[in-house]
Amino acid sequence: MNYQQIIEDIYEEVKPLLGKGKVADYIPALAKVDPNEFAITVADLEGNKYHVGNFEQKFSIQSISKVYTFAVAFSHLGDSIWQRVGREPSGNPFNSLVQLEKEDGIPRNPFINAGALVITDMLFDVLKEPRADILQFIIGLTGDSSIDFDKEVATSERENGYRNAALANFLRSHNNINYDIEEVLNLYFCHCSITMNTNELANSFLFLANGGVNPLNNERILSLSQTKRLNALMMTCGAYDEAGDFAFRVGMPGKSGVGGGIAAVIPGELAIAVWSPALNAKGNSLAGVQALELFTTKTGKSVF
Ligand code: GLU
């Protein structure tokens, strides 16, 4: 399969879409990004990498970080996490308060903000230095020690994060946050602020294509069964309230973020990361989703 030619063709085809959506501006520091940026990296399990566009440019991974925090919590706590968070798609916006009220403070899944806040709270139980340990986890997956938080983005989100503060307080009122709310929110904003490029993102998702084993050092991160479950969660809940359409069009488990990144896998084969900051109405990268749809269409590969 000539992945290089395929992603070059995809880049040409999505060029008219670049800049068509809207860059996330509810975190002021994110609003400065050039909406016309674009990059794709494909990393396969044989160690090949293919890139187009600005694949060395780091961007804010935002909600994609929820995959790493979930993987760390799941690897330590196993199925006990399901007592505090569900595994159904929400069909609601990622930062919605409504459902949480109706469902007694148990978030629908770990990828909506409420669920990710609960997972972040769990990290204080299992990690000695949660901030440093999350970074170390991602560095271990990519082999790239330059990966870091973006303090400006984290502070900007902290200063404007009223909805997340409301969610955290509400969860606390249901005893579903155990640690100090400020600390939980700060850790959450920190992990959302991590910057990576598509090359690093694709590399970091390879363990999910590889049955839970980090191909860099053969270290097992999740069991086969846990890997299946994390991929299933990405498929059903990884693209906000557009997860159904993402499965329909793209057909890969993946996770998007409001920074315009999307990382996805075809188990047993490859990981792919795209970045284009202009978002569609549901908060997913407009050109990014189109690029992934073209990728599975042109290669004939998907999980279906
Ligand atoms: N830190 C962002 C928030 O909680 C994450 C948004 C996202 O990428 O979905 O609003």
Side-chain angles (χ1 to χ4, degrees):
M1 188 76 62
N2 191 343
Y3 289 128
Q4 189 60 42
Q5 187 60 53
I6 288 171
I7 61 177
E8 281 170 21
D9 291 348
I10 291 172
Y11 191 13
E12 284 310 309
E13 283 184 51
V14 301
K15 269 185 184 162
L17 292 180
L18 298 183
K20 282 265 160 69
K22 197 167 167 296
V23 172
D25 56 6
Y26 75 98
I27 304 171
L30 287 185
K32 297 188 233 161
V33 180
D34 177 358
N36 296 303
E37 289 280 11
F38 184 82
I40 307 183
T41 294
V42 175
D44 70 19
L45 286 177
E46 279 150 30
N48 303 303
K49 314 264 182 245
Y50 310 89
H51 314 278
V52 286
N54 206 355
F55 65 91
E56 287 176 326
Q57 177 63 48
K58 301 215 188 219
F59 57 90
S60 196
I61 66 166
Q62 291 296 318
S63 275
I64 301 172
S65 63
K66 295 170 182 172
V67 174
Y68 308 126
T69 52
F70 177 79
V72 171
F74 201 24
S75 71
H76 281 87
L77 298 168
D79 286 337
S80 67
I81 64 172
W82 306 122
Q83 290 162 14
R84 294 178 58 190
V85 65
R87 46 189 196 238
E88 288 291 347
S90 73
N92 276 305
F94 67 105
N95 55 7
S96 167
L97 288 144
V98 178
Q99 204 162 40
L100 196 58
E101 166 119 51
K102 279 198 277 193
E103 298 183 359
D104 298 328
I106 303 291
R108 271 286 171 103
N109 67 67
F111 293 153
I112 52 172
N113 285 12
L117 285 163
V118 169
I119 297 289
T120 302
D121 185 62
M122 292 176 187
L123 293 179
F124 287 95
D125 278 330
V126 297
L127 301 176
K128 279 206 190 84
E129 305 263 356
R131 270 181 218 207
D133 294 347
I134 293 168
L135 267 191
Q136 228 27 69
F137 177 73
I138 301 172
I139 289 168
L141 290 173
T142 55
D144 185 333
S145 57
S146 73
I147 292 170
D148 207 351
F149 307 110
D150 180 330
K151 289 202 181 65
E152 189 198 340
V153 170
T155 308
S156 177
E157 189 169 5
R158 183 71 196 95
E159 284 166 357
N160 297 277
Y162 302 110
R163 289 190 77 88
N164 284 317
L167 287 167
N169 279 286
F170 193 76
L171 288 160
R172 176 75 196 217
S173 77
H174 280 279
N175 296 319
N176 205 2
I177 293 275
N178 296 325
Y179 288 87
D180 180 72
I181 286 179
E182 290 304 311
E183 280 190 45
V184 173
L185 284 168
N186 283 337
L187 180 59
Y188 172 81
F189 295 135
C190 257
H191 71 65
C192 287
S193 81
I194 291 169
T195 60
M196 291 167 76
N197 57 37
T198 56
N199 182 35
E200 293 158 347
L201 266 183
N203 290 337
S204 75
F205 267 55
L206 270 179
F207 81 103
L208 294 171
N210 196 34
V213 173
N214 179 354
L216 278 187
N217 55 13
N218 284 325
E219 191 191 316
R220 179 165 289 287
I221 294 165
L222 296 175
S223 70
L224 262 182
S225 158
Q226 288 176 320
T227 309
K228 175 187 77 176
R229 299 190 197 294
L230 174 40
N231 285 337
L233 277 174
M234 291 203 295
M235 179 60 93
T236 52
C237 316
Y240 309 118
D241 46 334
E242 196 176 33
D245 202 53
F246 187 85
F248 180 82
R249 289 176 58 192
V250 175
M252 285 190 274
K255 182 73 201 86
S256 58
V258 294
I262 309 175
V265 294
I266 300 182
E269 296 217 20
L270 57 84
I272 178 168
V274 295
W275 174 50
S276 179
L279 308 178
N280 65 21
K282 301 280 188 181
N284 293 305
S285 171
L286 191 139
V289 176
Q290 178 66 14
L292 291 174
E293 178 176 1
L294 286 169
F295 182 78
T296 50
T297 305
K298 285 176 190 291
T299 58
K301 289 174 190 264
S302 77
V303 298
F304 300 112

